[in-house]
Amino acid sequence: MANNLAEKAKTLIFNVKNHWKTPAEGNYIPYKETAAYSFGGIGVYFVVDIVNKMILATGNVLIGNTIGIEPRTLYILYVIGILSSIPLTGLRANIIDNTRGREGKYRPYIIRMGIPCVILAVAFVWMPYGKMSTFWDCVTVLGFNIAFQFFFNFFRESYENLIHVLSPNSQERTNVLGFKSVVYSLAPTIINAIMPIIARKFFGGDMANINLYRYAYPPLLIIGIILTVVVYVNTKEKIIQAKTHVVQVKFMDALRAVAKNKYFWIISLAGWIGFLEGSYATILYWLYQYQGACTSVEYMLITTIYGNGSLWGMLFAPLAIKKFGKKKVLVFTNLCNIIFIACLMPSVSNIWIVLSFLYLNAIVGSFSHVLDPSIQADIRDYQQYTTGERIDGMFAAVGLIGSIISLITQGVVPEIYARGGITIERAREVLSNPAITSRVMSEGKTIYQIVSDRAIANGVSYNDAVNAYDALYDPNIFDHLIIVLIMVSVVGAALNLLPYFFYDLTELRQKSIVRALKIRALFEDFASGALSDESLIEAIDLVNHARETAGCEVAELSKGGIKSAKTKEEKLAAKSAYKEASKLNDEIEISRFIISEMSKFSTKRMQDKLMLAHDIYDMGLNGFYAADISGLEQARALPGFTKEEREVRKEAVELSKDTQRSRKLVKKYYPEGIVPFDMTVFDKLFEAEDASELELENAYKEYFADKKNKQIKKRISEIKNERKLIRAEIKKATDQNSIYHRAAKPWLDAQRLINQAESYEHYDDIAALYDDAKARVEEKKQLEAVNA
């Protein structure tokens, strides 16, 4: 056993050394990039964890318990905040989907949005809450939250979604997510550990004292943004898309495309109907703060142990996903969720028993830190496969439907709070009872002294320092409300589980989709003359491998040989044979998918589509929109008795609508007729941008070597201005290209389908170029070696 572990450790060290800067075969992310994404994530999550505590939500401790905004008022602010997020989410989505540059889609915004987040968060805690009226407290919190809706959500999504474009390999993404989740979880663990200590040392153990957050949060935020730079500097995005694909995605076009993605709706529905699941989340804090269930030192230990539970889930998630698949892991962990939350009900009298069940729930719950982004990445690959567009940002825009739904659902918990006794009137009534205010809490202070200290910190009277949550000092109110919240959490967890039974995007299908995307992109570049020799070789290798493998027989897998093995060597050999057979079976399935993709034009359905494409293409760029290819009414009147007929009708309706949109756009932008856009303009512009980036990088190196050199400073400023002008030209060209693509969409779609069909049909002619391409690549390598 020890020798086996030692061998594995040696292999790992060897792999890390050899693939520190270049990924292993079949992978896309080198170890250096994984380390940067993960350890830089500690900084990201210092910011995320802190700002999350400032975001309007029912049950928010900082806004409700510390600032003192009542649950119902908090819900009203939440509604306004969500409504304000609608245009901001659309803006974010548009920016992301239309970002195309050397830096990538997400990387630039990790820094650009992170810095404003830190500034806003520091300012948030230093507002004079308590000294202002309740109205102005609410206005202040709302104002900051509207800003957070843009900057913070943009910052967090940029980091979380970066994994979607670091690798198209689903299992590799899962492995990186598992490691990243374990590493970045240090941030909330540190925060949860030090906050009770600081509270005990300086604020009498009162976690509701605003000064605690004023002095603890700013240093952590600054450390966070410094570490975040590591992610930006050391990662590189890789998106499988044709080089010639430079199109600005219009909001409504992307919205229509995402709305048809069934997997997006399954995952979204799970969250929408399971909104009550997190109702139990404040139980530990309430037990400590309002019932004195433990000392501040014990509370620090409890939060640290609770946080440690997440570590094990994140460690084992990649292994579980690899062995059982995402769906089975999703269903199993959610079932465990229901059981562990239900077990809290008879345990609330003892914080340590509560901790034990929360710890178990944290283990299964933390699988979601790996599962959720991994599933989201797979869904985006599926989206690109079905629509041809990589529209990552627009998923958030469609998710606004969920925000609208949550406007109703999120009102349930505040209503439970209020009906359970969390109101300012009830709190004042509770704190006027000497039997309650004279109770000594965990740090040796009475409840009266705790509220008095809060009044002094805020510079207000004792009566004005009372907030609605102080009603929880009454054990009767506390006990009743906690049981109700646990019950509704169980219901929420059960509802959350149901949609996952319909999720059927397997790991094998995702791999097949990614390989098909790669072949499509390579052939699209071949058709446009933009395919490099290296990419041509890769495409031919992929197709040839699929042709060779697709005809193989799928082996019947059995673990009988492993069980019947008598010696260790026989067992290892049987396991190895089983793995190889399983791997070959997967390759056979993927290869059959690729062959099906390349032979799809032999089916009647695709032949009909191809015939229509030829009709549209033959009408010409300025003829297709003038002809009535398929009137909308006629399209809608097509039969829909079978699944295939419904698909044909849907495509006819879409084509008719696209043609109508084209007519409007041609009338607006091309009154003299559509003029094809010259794609070669991008080659010059991107080349100029790359040269500008490299020049700027070298100029900064010179500046850091000699900061007193004024000429270098001046040169840096000049390069930045040049780059700004180049990017303005890129944006202008992208806008023009996008208008062209939207106006000519039916004709360009027809052209793309015809080119794809011809590439697939004449694959053998393309494959004949393989040897010449290989020779040129070898010659290039030899020349580079000589020059080196």
Side-chain angles (χ1 to χ4, degrees):
M1 181 72 175
N3 290 336
N4 193 26
L5 287 172
E7 281 300 315
K8 285 183 177 179
K10 284 179 183 177
T11 304
L12 178 62
I13 293 167
F14 176 81
N15 287 336
V16 170
K17 280 183 177 178
N18 279 274
H19 301 295
W20 180 249
K21 290 185 178 179
T22 55
E25 187 179 350
N27 287 344
Y28 296 81
I29 309 176
Y31 283 102
K32 180 184 178 183
E33 206 167 330
T34 300
Y37 185 52
S38 304
F39 288 99
I42 295 173
V44 172
Y45 265 79
F46 269 131
V47 179
V48 168
D49 194 68
I50 289 171
V51 177
N52 259 332
K53 292 177 171 67
M54 303 173 189
I55 298 295
L56 284 163
T58 53
N60 182 296
V61 171
L62 179 58
I63 298 173
N65 302 60
T66 302
I67 296 172
I69 297 175
E70 290 188 56
R72 282 174 174 159
T73 306
L74 187 56
Y75 171 65
I76 293 168
L77 296 179
Y78 168 80
V79 170
I80 299 170
I82 288 295
L83 291 174
S84 73
S85 75
I86 293 172
L88 295 176
T89 302
L91 177 60
R92 287 200 319 272
N94 240 353
I95 292 170
I96 285 290
D97 282 335
N98 298 306
T99 296
R100 186 185 177 99
R102 196 166 178 259
E103 294 172 301
K105 286 168 83 79
Y106 295 112
R107 285 176 61 249
Y109 303 108
I110 291 174
I111 301 299
R112 292 176 196 171
M113 299 297 156
I115 292 170
C117 274
V118 170
I119 294 169
L120 285 165
V122 172
F124 181 93
V125 292
W126 277 98
M127 290 293 106
Y129 303 112
K131 294 181 181 178
M132 301 186 288
S133 67
T134 303
F135 172 78
W136 285 109
D137 280 349
C138 293
V139 169
T140 303
V141 168
L142 179 61
F144 275 101
N145 266 266
I146 290 171
F148 284 138
Q149 289 288 353
F150 183 75
F151 294 106
F152 173 63
N153 287 337
F154 211 145
F155 168 71
R156 182 183 58 193
E157 287 170 9
S158 296
Y159 176 74
E160 295 295 351
N161 291 339
L162 184 60
I163 189 63
H164 301 165
V165 291
L166 289 181
S167 171
N169 184 322
S170 182
Q171 187 57 48
E172 184 184 22
R173 286 191 300 234
T174 301
N175 294 340
V176 172
L177 283 167
F179 181 70
K180 175 206 79 164
S181 301
V182 170
V183 174
Y184 80 57
S185 66
L186 280 170
T189 300
I190 290 168
I191 293 169
N192 291 334
I194 66 172
M195 291 303 282
I197 296 173
I198 298 171
R200 182 172 184 267
K201 182 79 174 172
F202 300 104
F203 306 104
D206 183 12
M207 293 287 290
N209 193 312
I210 188 64
N211 286 329
L212 167 64
Y213 304 95
R214 285 173 176 164
Y215 292 105
Y217 278 174
L220 294 171
L221 287 162
I222 292 166
I223 292 168
I225 197 63
I226 292 170
L227 288 174
T228 298
V229 176
V230 174
V231 181
Y232 171 76
V233 172
N234 295 289
T235 54
K236 184 181 179 182
E237 297 184 18
K238 305 121 191 148
I239 301 173
I240 297 178
Q241 215 163 38
K243 290 180 183 178
T244 52
H245 194 89
V246 189
V247 183
Q248 187 183 59
V249 183
K250 195 180 178 187
F251 181 88
M252 289 307 298
D253 293 339
L255 201 61
R256 277 190 290 268
V258 175
K260 297 169 188 172
N261 189 322
K262 69 174 183 177
Y263 299 113
F264 169 81
W265 293 112
I266 289 169
I267 300 302
S268 298
L269 184 63
W272 297 341
I273 65 175
F275 65 95
L276 291 170
E277 185 179 351
S279 302
Y280 71 95
T282 57
I283 186 170
L284 286 175
Y285 175 79
W286 282 10
L287 281 166
Y288 163 70
Q289 181 70 24
Y290 298 108
Q291 296 301 304
C294 61
T295 66
S296 59
V297 174
E298 289 172 332
Y299 184 64
M300 177 207 72
L301 182 63
I302 285 167
T303 54
T304 304
I305 292 171
Y306 182 36
N308 175 260
S310 299
L311 169 68
W312 302 108
M314 291 184 286
L315 271 174
F316 291 119
L319 299 173
I321 290 167
K322 187 175 183 179
K323 186 171 180 62
F324 302 109
K326 296 183 186 74
K327 179 177 178 176
K328 287 181 181 177
V329 175
L330 263 176
V331 172
F332 176 76
T333 53
N334 276 273
L335 277 170
C336 291
N337 236 2
I338 297 167
I339 295 166
F340 295 140
I341 294 171
C343 288
L344 292 172
M345 219 171 308
S347 316
V348 290
S349 58
N350 188 305
I351 195 169
W352 296 99
I353 298 176
V354 168
L355 172 63
S356 65
F357 287 116
L358 286 178
Y359 185 82
L360 293 171
N361 195 50
I363 292 174
V364 295
S366 60
F367 272 64
S368 66
H369 293 301
V370 179
L371 273 169
D372 290 351
S374 186
I375 286 170
Q376 287 295 332
D378 291 354
I379 289 172
R380 283 156 171 75
D381 292 336
Y382 173 77
Q383 182 71 41
Q384 188 178 351
Y385 175 73
T386 54
T387 66
E389 291 293 350
R390 187 85 192 183
I391 45 180
D392 302 73
M394 207 52 64
F395 279 87
V398 181
L400 284 171
I401 297 168
S403 298
I404 301 300
I405 293 169
S406 71
L407 292 180
I408 301 166
T409 58
Q410 289 296 313
V412 174
V413 175
E415 194 59 32
I416 292 171
Y417 280 9
R419 289 176 181 269
I422 299 182
T423 63
I424 190 67
E425 294 81 10
R426 193 68 188 273
R428 284 175 177 154
E429 182 185 323
V430 167
L431 292 186
S432 66
N433 184 347
I436 292 175
T437 55
S438 61
R439 272 175 53 209
V440 178
M441 301 302 282
S442 55
E443 299 303 322
K445 286 190 174 185
T446 64
I447 293 171
Y448 178 83
Q449 288 174 317
I450 291 170
V451 178
S452 296
D453 288 346
R454 191 194 307 161
I456 293 167
N458 291 336
V460 296
S461 68
Y462 178 90
N463 198 48
D464 288 337
V466 175
N467 67 55
Y469 290 85
D470 290 333
L472 292 169
Y473 282 118
D474 185 334
N476 295 322
I477 293 174
F478 180 89
D479 291 342
H480 171 72
L481 195 52
I482 281 292
I483 294 299
V484 171
L485 291 175
I486 292 169
M487 288 170 65
V488 298
S489 293
V490 170
V491 173
L495 290 172
N496 176 257
L497 172 63
L498 295 177
Y500 294 134
F501 288 105
F502 300 95
Y503 184 85
D504 60 358
L505 182 57
T506 63
E507 282 68 25
L508 195 59
R509 187 162 186 234
Q510 189 275 339
K511 286 180 184 176
S512 304
I513 284 170
V514 167
R515 212 169 285 185
L517 284 174
K518 186 175 282 190
I519 289 170
R520 282 184 188 179
L522 294 171
F523 278 124
E524 189 176 332
D525 281 336
F526 178 82
S528 62
L531 188 67
S532 65
D533 286 331
E534 291 84 357
S535 296
L536 177 65
I537 292 166
E538 183 183 11
I540 293 169
D541 283 341
L542 280 172
V543 176
N544 286 348
H545 173 73
R547 282 182 164 185
E548 291 166 8
T549 312
C552 297
E553 287 294 322
V554 175
E556 189 175 333
L557 296 176
S558 171
K559 292 187 177 181
I562 300 171
K563 292 175 182 177
S564 62
K566 294 177 181 178
T567 65
K568 184 181 177 182
E569 288 74 20
E570 286 177 357
K571 199 164 198 174
L572 286 172
K575 280 184 178 179
S576 178
Y578 180 87
K579 284 180 182 177
E580 285 301 314
S582 177
K583 187 177 178 182
L584 179 60
N585 282 355
D586 288 351
E587 278 300 315
I588 292 168
E589 290 299 320
I590 293 169
S591 297
R592 288 176 180 176
F593 186 93
I594 297 303
I595 296 303
S596 174
E597 162 74 19
M598 294 195 66
S599 61
K600 64 185 179 184
F601 291 101
S602 62
T603 64
K604 185 181 183 305
R605 170 98 186 279
M606 290 305 296
Q607 285 174 354
D608 290 342
K609 283 184 74 172
L610 190 59
M611 192 181 297
L612 179 59
H614 276 290
D615 289 342
I616 296 168
Y617 185 77
D618 292 343
M619 290 174 192
L621 194 53
N622 284 298
F624 78 92
Y625 57 85
D628 188 11
I629 298 162
S630 175
L632 187 57
E633 293 305 316
Q634 294 95 311
R636 285 174 175 162
L638 288 171
F641 299 108
T642 66
K643 184 180 178 181
E644 188 172 341
E645 284 178 344
R646 287 192 293 273
E647 286 293 321
V648 169
R649 183 175 62 189
K650 185 170 74 173
E651 287 170 4
V653 169
E654 286 176 2
L655 176 59
S656 183
K657 287 181 177 179
D658 284 344
T659 306
Q660 287 179 358
R661 280 191 284 270
S662 291
R663 288 194 192 104
K664 291 177 183 177
L665 288 167
V666 169
K667 188 176 180 181
K668 183 177 180 180
Y669 295 105
Y670 301 102
E672 302 300 320
I674 298 176
V675 179
F677 184 82
D678 181 12
M679 293 295 295
T680 60
V681 70
F682 284 114
D683 296 334
K684 297 171 186 174
L685 287 171
F686 286 142
E687 189 179 326
E689 186 187 32
D690 288 347
S692 176
E693 289 281 355
L694 188 61
E695 193 178 357
L696 185 62
E697 190 178 317
N698 293 331
Y700 268 118
K701 286 178 182 176
E702 289 182 45
Y703 169 72
F704 288 125
D706 182 13
K707 291 185 179 180
K708 293 180 180 179
N709 191 329
K710 292 182 179 178
Q711 289 299 319
I712 295 295
K713 286 184 181 179
K714 185 180 177 183
R715 182 64 189 140
I716 286 172
S717 180
E718 288 172 353
I719 296 169
K720 282 184 175 179
N721 287 332
E722 287 171 12
R723 185 181 64 176
K724 188 177 178 181
L725 291 172
I726 292 167
R727 286 179 172 174
E729 286 298 313
I730 289 172
K731 186 181 183 307
K732 182 181 175 183
T734 303
D735 289 343
Q736 291 171 348
N737 185 37
S738 300
I739 291 167
Y740 167 66
H741 271 79
R742 290 200 295 273
K745 186 178 184 303
W747 190 83
L748 291 172
D749 287 346
Q751 183 188 50
R752 191 179 298 114
L753 194 70
I754 292 166
N755 287 340
Q756 191 181 87
E758 288 177 354
S759 295
Y760 288 177
E761 185 181 351
H762 301 293
Y763 167 74
D764 290 329
D765 297 333
I766 297 169
L769 304 172
Y770 184 88
D771 290 337
D772 290 340
K774 193 108 178 174
R776 284 192 296 270
V777 169
E778 288 300 322
E779 187 181 338
K780 184 181 175 183
K781 284 180 180 177
Q782 290 172 8
L783 187 62
E784 286 174 352
V786 170
N787 291 335

